[in-house]
Amino acid sequence: GGRPPLQRLKPVLSAFSMYSAIPMPRTEWEPEGMRYALCAFPLVGLAVAAALWCWGRLCLLLGLGRLLAAVGMTLLPLLVTGGIHMDGLCDAADAIASRQGPEKRLEILRDPRTGAFGVMAVCGVLLLTCALWDTLLPGLDARSFGVVCLGFILSRALSGMAVATFPLAKESGLVHTFATGADKRGVALVDGGLAALAGLGMALLAPVPGCCALLGASLALLHYSLVCRDFGGTTGDLAGYFLTLCETGVLLGVTLGQAVSW
């Protein structure tokens, strides 16, 4: 007489409902679902990786052009996630560029209007991502592609671990809801373990591109910790900002690492 299957999957359903645009069965927001939802967050990265793999296979099957393939690789993560993390990048870029104190920065994060720096940041990241994919695709082997795919899991594992361990900048918002309802010690252990496994897999799959990708992710995490210090803690927007930078850093690392390996 165990719990119904849907009850057991509540953390997974909660994670996918909030951090992806994939249709999920409707569930009530309950402490049980929130407690370990961040442990399931990396599974959303697995869904992104699966979508990229399918698109890559389709491009090969139909003989689609390299640029079209690169644009698809750039946009698919936005489609799977609903752009929630890119929205965080946009808001955070405006707040960071203001060079104001913590209170004013948090006020800018809450402002629904988009500033010039947010637009520039989003355009810059999308252009860079597309250019990196366009550069990477001609000589991309299965191992290096596996490193990129693991990067989507790594970024979410690090993000979940940070939410469980970093101080919170405000007493409201999505991150506050998840963090206060979470088993922080359990989330930190699970997501920390998943991050370590993903990082190890990246290094073993393709040593040079994998280590370069890990360096990119590590620099993004260091930058995130410094940014959170300026804000007095983390927020949902800052978490999205980090995740976007982390994935861009992984892709940049793989591209540079593969170029060095040639």
Side-chain angles (χ1 to χ4, degrees):
R3 294 179 299 169
L6 199 60
Q7 288 288 111
R8 298 175 183 175
L9 290 175
K10 271 197 172 181
V12 177
L13 296 177
S14 296
F16 273 85
S17 295
M18 288 308 305
Y19 296 113
S20 84
I22 301 172
M24 289 286 125
R26 184 170 181 175
T27 58
E28 297 296 328
W29 288 94
E30 298 176 355
E32 184 180 4
M34 306 290 286
R35 189 171 175 81
Y36 297 109
L38 288 173
C39 296
F41 187 26
L43 293 177
V44 179
L46 186 62
V48 173
L52 292 182
W53 183 85
C54 291
W55 172 248
R57 297 300 299 175
L58 182 64
C59 289
L60 287 174
L61 181 64
L62 300 180
L64 301 181
R66 193 174 82 192
L67 181 58
L68 180 58
V71 170
M73 293 291 189
T74 302
L75 296 181
L76 266 177
L78 294 180
L79 294 176
V80 174
T81 63
I84 184 172
H85 310 301
M86 191 65 74
D87 177 68
L89 171 78
C90 185
D91 293 338
D94 281 328
I96 292 169
S98 71
R99 300 185 184 277
Q100 301 292 319
E103 290 186 7
K104 181 62 177 177
R105 292 187 184 211
L106 291 173
E107 183 181 330
I108 294 172
L109 284 183
R110 290 191 292 268
D111 193 333
R113 294 171 296 181
T114 301
F117 290 101
V119 173
M120 287 188 286
V122 170
C123 290
V125 167
L126 290 176
L127 283 172
L128 176 59
T129 300
C130 188
L132 290 172
W133 275 115
D134 186 64
T135 302
L136 191 61
L137 284 172
L140 184 63
D141 56 39
R143 290 177 178 272
S144 293
F145 184 68
V147 171
V148 177
C149 290
L150 284 173
F152 291 101
I153 298 171
L154 175 67
S155 63
R156 285 161 176 79
L158 290 175
S159 182
M161 185 178 67
V163 168
T165 55
F166 284 14
L168 302 178
K170 54 184 183 178
E171 298 297 320
S172 61
L174 187 60
V175 158
H176 180 269
T177 300
F178 272 88
T180 53
D183 175 357
K184 291 188 177 182
R185 185 171 180 274
V187 168
L189 287 173
V190 171
D191 280 345
L194 289 174
L197 287 174
L200 180 62
M202 292 162 76
L204 292 177
L205 266 178
V208 176
C211 289
C212 289
L214 287 174
L215 176 61
S218 299
L219 290 175
L221 183 61
L222 174 62
H223 173 67
Y224 178 39
S225 66
L226 295 175
V227 166
C228 288
R229 186 180 64 182
D230 293 336
F231 279 80
T234 189
T235 70
D237 286 323
L238 293 181
Y241 171 78
F242 159 70
L243 193 143
T244 305
L245 290 187
C246 184
E247 292 175 354
T248 306
V250 166
L251 188 61
L252 178 60
V254 172
T255 305
L256 295 177
Q258 188 162 286
V260 171
S261 301
W262 285 344

